[in-house]
Amino acid sequence: MLEFSFSPFTLELKSVFRIARGERSSAPLVFTKISHEGVDGYGEASMPVLYGESHASAEAFLSKVDLSGFTDPFQTESILHYVDSIAPDNKAAKAAIDIALHDLIGKLAGKPVHTLFGLPYKEHHTSMTIGIDTPEKMAEKAISYNGFKYLKIKLGTDRDKEIIAAIRQVTDQPFFIDANQGWTDKHLALDQVQWLSEQNTIFIEQPMPRERKEDLQWLTSRSSIPIIGDEGVQRLDDLKEASGIYNGINIKLMKCTGIREGFKMAVAAKALGMRVMLGCMSETSCAISAASHLGALADWVDLDGNLDALNDPFRGHFVDGGRLVATGLPGIGLSKVDLKIFQEPASLR
Amino acid sequence: MLEFSFSPFTLELKSVFRIARGERSSAPLVFTKISHEGVDGYGEASMPVLYGESHASAEAFLSKVDLSGFTDPFQTESILHYVDSIAPDNKAAKAAIDIALHDLIGKLAGKPVHTLFGLPYKEHHTSMTIGIDTPEKMAEKAISYNGFKYLKIKLGTDRDKEIIAAIRQVTDQPFFIDANQGWTDKHLALDQVQWLSEQNTIFIEQPMPRERKEDLQWLTSRSSIPIIGDEGVQRLDDLKEASGIYNGINIKLMKCTGIREGFKMAVAAKALGMRVMLGCMSETSCAISAASHLGALADWVDLDGNLDALNDPFRGHFVDGGRLVATGLPGIGLSKVDLKIFQEPASLR
């Protein structure tokens, strides 16, 4: 018998975070708990407005989830197939269940989640993300992030070259560039890509709107550095088409419904000769720790969503010297859980 | 610390087995054993002559395998990556290690192998295979196999239509057809495919030589029933190209180096919209049981290789009413192991 509960939460960020298509100073989350034989597994959903989920949609979805019919939490495919079939979309809410389930079975088996998938733990250097701001402020951020090997720079503005020039004045750290669909002319996009490739840029994420598939294909075929699909590649079913458009994919648990589907996407992407990166939303150490277990299948990792949080109720895998280090604990590796998150007054739910 | 040993064996068959490109009355096998903390995992290699492996090649390869540097058998990716890197090819020998390793970790975790992969066990109807013979003798075999839902018919002769006509006189059981690369003219192949599709045929395996990629593509695009790649699709790296040639793939542990890579192939094939079948060589209940754990990812199962064996030293997953039934035991599910197989005099090795 599996017991399931959930609780909404608002993650407060240290500063306003801007990208080409929006900004936020907090993020709506829902925490989940799945219990079996006295052991608790924890999970998390983070719902960026742009992806269409919210506290209301996640709670409505999770209210429909009834795990009481399942007796064996190790039947992950069956359980997650049931969850996926309750309603379409709701990808972050589904991920919250996947994460809690894997935390639970890892704890029951006494193994970290990566071991459940047969994988070693790979201690990646995570990039640190700089949201859109004035070129001066972005350069200031870059200086403060000098302990990270890679900087992820949000672009897609009319001041992109100015921004890059300002940051390159203060650091030589390699860039991951994320335009968040911000470039709309393919020729200008190619100019940007070529210029950025001379600025020590490792790859470029989602340079153009995801629905502009032919333009993206055109751009990818001409780019000297990898073009990575993010908004344009959500779940496993998107991969076949994506392999003809992008050089690689950004796997985020909140887009792909969790660790298990993320694992499959990474396996299939590599079989197709695509590059794999792991990304995140504004998340706590719960979802960040969960994603990091797939590091052995990734070329690059951008798992910094918790580093900008003010009220993270979890402690788990952590950044040390710019590397994302595992606790080695069973499950997703949480070393601390503030249990108050499941004791909010009912009126808040 | 992992202890590893292996022992050669010759599997005797009840009758001579013929396909379009060869025949056999026995099969060279090697059994493997990996031990950790007093628990033994068993595996098996079966080396059909056509695939280039032999007792000599398998023993030479396995003699190079040193698992003493590994302390945790659950680090399957790391261990199997090491094994794969020792030498190219040797796919059956590599599978023998993969199978023993998964049997071991399943036993250590107290879980059947399918559960280690998060999968339920799917109780498929296995097909029963009829090798090439006179049409009359093949029809006699068909009668004796009336307990099976599907018959797998080996074709690729100059009497194919006669064979099918003779068998269709005695049974309506649906066919899996396997031409084993036996048809060499694409127009004649298409005629065969169209005629067979009217004879209650579910799919056709490897109708033409694997190197005739353009002809196979031409044939697949015109066939009303799925064309499945067997000889033409061995490992995960073959999948991308195969997705442009075939409608599906036949995953055999002895081709793909074992359960773990077979799992990945099935996941990736499904992501590409391809059909998946599980197949086998002449094998004992050890390798057959191992393969059956991937059944939940398969559309069709042809796991009958042990049913024609005279001296199977294992008992495991078994056929009951035409279905391949699991023992439910931990690991690959062996219920009996004749330990004499590891006690042969050294001269036999």
Side-chain angles (χ1 to χ4, degrees):
Chain A
M1 163 97 178
L2 300 179
E3 287 168 61
F4 171 59
S5 61
F6 61 91
S7 186
F9 188 82
T10 298
L11 190 69
E12 306 295 342
L13 306 183
K14 289 179 190 165
S15 51
V16 177
F17 182 67
R18 283 184 203 91
I19 65 171
R21 294 193 162 191
E23 66 172 57
R24 60 179 176 256
S25 58
S26 68
L29 308 185
V30 176
F31 297 124
T32 53
K33 182 165 76 170
I34 304 179
S35 307
H36 182 70
E37 295 178 348
V39 177
D40 299 324
Y42 297 100
E44 169 182 0
S46 175
M47 288 89 59
V49 175
L50 290 170
Y51 280 88
E53 286 182 80
S54 64
H55 268 148
S57 70
E59 292 186 73
F61 179 83
L62 294 172
S63 297
K64 293 180 195 144
V65 174
D66 177 9
L67 301 183
S68 64
F70 293 98
T71 53
D72 180 3
F74 286 89
Q75 293 298 330
T76 48
E77 280 279 340
S78 303
I79 296 168
L80 297 174
H81 183 265
Y82 153 71
V83 170
D84 201 22
S85 69
I86 293 173
D89 304 326
N90 291 287
K91 289 172 272 200
K94 290 170 182 174
I97 296 175
D98 168 282
I99 296 168
L101 188 62
H102 283 95
D103 190 37
L104 173 64
I105 64 174
K107 286 169 175 167
L108 288 167
K111 306 274 178 204
V113 166
H114 61 88
T115 303
L116 298 179
F117 287 95
L119 302 171
Y121 182 80
K122 182 162 176 189
E123 220 173 69
H124 277 279
H125 284 275
T126 179
S127 55
M128 186 66 184
T129 302
I130 302 179
I132 291 172
D133 208 323
T134 63
E136 299 69 34
K137 288 209 172 134
M138 290 177 76
E140 274 171 39
K141 283 262 185 185
I143 293 170
S144 73
Y145 296 158
N146 68 356
F148 291 87
K149 182 171 176 182
Y150 304 105
L151 295 178
K152 174 158 157 168
I153 314 293
K154 294 287 193 178
L155 293 181
T157 73
D158 50 11
R159 302 176 70 182
D160 285 351
K161 289 203 177 180
E162 230 181 301
I163 289 168
I164 294 299
I167 299 176
R168 272 287 166 256
Q169 293 239 322
V170 300
T171 177
D172 292 328
Q173 285 153 287
F175 292 152
F176 300 170
I177 297 291
D178 187 357
N180 284 113
Q181 316 187 72
W183 302 330
T184 48
D185 179 280
K186 71 177 181 181
H187 296 285
L188 292 181
L190 183 59
D191 283 349
Q192 291 276 50
V193 167
Q194 284 172 332
W195 182 72
L196 284 162
S197 71
E198 292 157 9
Q199 306 289 325
N200 198 11
T201 295
I202 310 286
F203 61 78
I204 300 190
E205 257 183 272
Q206 204 65 51
M208 301 185 68
R210 63 180 180 181
E211 62 275 13
R212 301 272 295 277
K213 291 171 189 173
E214 277 182 34
D215 289 343
L216 279 159
Q217 204 165 31
W218 180 91
L219 185 62
T220 297
S221 68
R222 284 161 179 77
S223 173
S224 59
I225 52 176
I227 303 295
I228 307 293
D230 179 13
E231 289 88 341
V233 191
Q234 313 255 333
R235 296 192 62 173
L236 185 59
D237 282 346
D238 300 327
L239 199 63
K240 184 180 177 181
E241 186 184 53
S243 71
I245 299 175
Y246 304 101
N247 300 117
I249 59 171
N250 184 343
I251 297 175
K252 295 178 178 170
L253 301 188
M254 299 303 150
K255 290 191 303 180
C256 75
T257 74
I259 309 171
R260 192 161 180 82
E261 185 153 329
F263 171 79
K264 292 180 183 176
M265 288 181 77
V267 164
K270 289 167 80 83
L272 291 171
M274 301 181 82
R275 314 300 292 266
V276 170
M277 72 173 286
L278 298 176
C280 63
M281 309 297 185
S282 289
E283 299 168 1
T284 75
S285 300
C286 176
I288 293 293
S289 296
S292 70
H293 289 273
L294 298 179
L297 297 171
D299 298 294
W300 308 291
V301 157
D302 172 43
L303 292 175
D304 59 354
N306 58 337
L307 301 179
D308 200 38
L310 280 174
N311 56 340
D312 186 343
F314 298 93
R315 219 179 288 150
H317 291 189
F318 56 95
V319 172
D320 183 22
R323 289 175 189 266
L324 193 50
V325 178
T327 60
L329 294 167
I332 59 175
L334 298 174
S335 53
K336 193 199 113 191
V337 180
D338 182 352
L339 291 174
K340 283 203 300 290
I341 56 177
F342 290 103
Q343 295 161 354
E344 296 295 322
S347 64
L348 282 183
R349 306 186 53 166
Chain B
M1 162 95 179
L2 300 179
E3 287 168 61
F4 171 59
S5 61
F6 61 91
S7 185
F9 188 82
T10 299
L11 190 69
E12 305 295 342
L13 306 183
K14 289 178 189 165
S15 51
V16 177
F17 182 67
R18 283 186 203 89
I19 65 171
R21 293 193 164 192
E23 68 173 55
R24 59 178 177 258
S25 59
S26 68
L29 308 185
V30 176
F31 296 123
T32 52
K33 182 166 75 169
I34 304 179
S35 308
H36 182 69
E37 294 177 349
V39 177
D40 299 323
Y42 297 100
E44 169 183 359
S46 175
M47 289 89 61
V49 176
L50 290 170
Y51 282 87
E53 287 183 80
S54 64
H55 268 149
S57 70
E59 293 185 73
F61 179 83
L62 294 171
S63 297
K64 293 180 196 145
V65 174
D66 177 8
L67 301 183
S68 64
F70 293 99
T71 53
D72 180 2
F74 286 88
Q75 293 298 331
T76 49
E77 281 279 342
S78 304
I79 295 168
L80 297 174
H81 183 266
Y82 153 71
V83 170
D84 201 21
S85 70
I86 293 173
D89 305 324
N90 292 286
K91 289 173 271 202
K94 289 170 183 175
I97 295 175
D98 167 281
I99 295 168
L101 187 63
H102 283 95
D103 190 38
L104 173 65
I105 64 173
K107 287 170 174 166
L108 288 168
K111 306 275 179 206
V113 166
H114 61 88
T115 303
L116 297 180
F117 287 95
L119 301 171
Y121 183 80
K122 182 162 177 189
E123 221 173 66
H124 277 279
H125 284 276
T126 179
S127 56
M128 186 65 185
T129 302
I130 302 180
I132 291 172
D133 208 324
T134 63
E136 299 69 35
K137 289 208 171 135
M138 290 177 77
E140 274 171 38
K141 283 262 185 183
I143 293 170
S144 73
Y145 295 158
N146 68 355
F148 291 87
K149 182 171 176 183
Y150 304 106
L151 295 177
K152 172 157 157 168
I153 315 292
K154 293 287 192 178
L155 293 181
T157 73
D158 49 12
R159 302 177 70 183
D160 285 351
K161 288 204 176 179
E162 231 180 302
I163 288 168
I164 293 299
I167 300 175
R168 270 288 165 255
Q169 291 239 323
V170 300
T171 178
D172 293 327
Q173 284 153 287
F175 293 153
F176 300 171
I177 298 290
D178 187 357
N180 285 114
Q181 317 187 71
W183 302 331
T184 48
D185 179 281
K186 71 178 180 181
H187 296 283
L188 292 180
L190 183 58
D191 283 347
Q192 292 277 47
V193 167
Q194 282 171 332
W195 182 73
L196 285 162
S197 71
E198 292 156 10
Q199 306 288 325
N200 198 11
T201 296
I202 310 287
F203 61 78
I204 300 189
E205 258 181 89
Q206 204 65 53
M208 300 185 68
R210 63 180 182 181
E211 63 275 14
R212 301 272 294 277
K213 291 171 189 174
E214 277 181 34
D215 290 342
L216 280 159
Q217 205 165 31
W218 181 91
L219 185 63
T220 297
S221 68
R222 282 159 181 78
S223 173
S224 59
I225 52 176
I227 303 294
I228 307 294
D230 179 13
E231 288 88 341
V233 191
Q234 312 256 335
R235 297 192 61 173
L236 185 59
D237 282 347
D238 299 327
L239 199 62
K240 184 179 178 181
E241 187 185 52
S243 72
I245 299 175
Y246 305 100
N247 300 118
I249 59 172
N250 185 344
I251 297 175
K252 295 177 177 169
L253 301 189
M254 299 303 150
K255 288 191 303 180
C256 75
T257 74
I259 309 170
R260 191 159 179 85
E261 185 153 329
F263 170 78
K264 292 180 183 178
M265 288 181 78
V267 164
K270 289 167 81 83
L272 291 172
M274 301 181 83
R275 313 302 291 267
V276 170
M277 72 174 286
L278 297 176
C280 63
M281 308 299 186
S282 289
E283 297 169 359
T284 76
S285 299
C286 176
I288 293 293
S289 297
S292 70
H293 288 274
L294 299 179
L297 297 171
D299 298 294
W300 308 292
V301 157
D302 172 43
L303 292 175
D304 60 354
N306 58 337
L307 301 178
D308 200 38
L310 281 174
N311 56 341
D312 187 343
F314 298 93
R315 220 180 288 150
H317 291 190
F318 56 95
V319 173
D320 183 21
R323 289 175 190 267
L324 193 50
V325 178
T327 59
L329 294 167
I332 60 174
L334 298 173
S335 54
K336 194 200 113 190
V337 181
D338 181 351
L339 291 175
K340 284 204 297 290
I341 56 178
F342 290 103
Q343 295 161 354
E344 296 295 322
S347 64
L348 281 185
R349 307 186 51 165

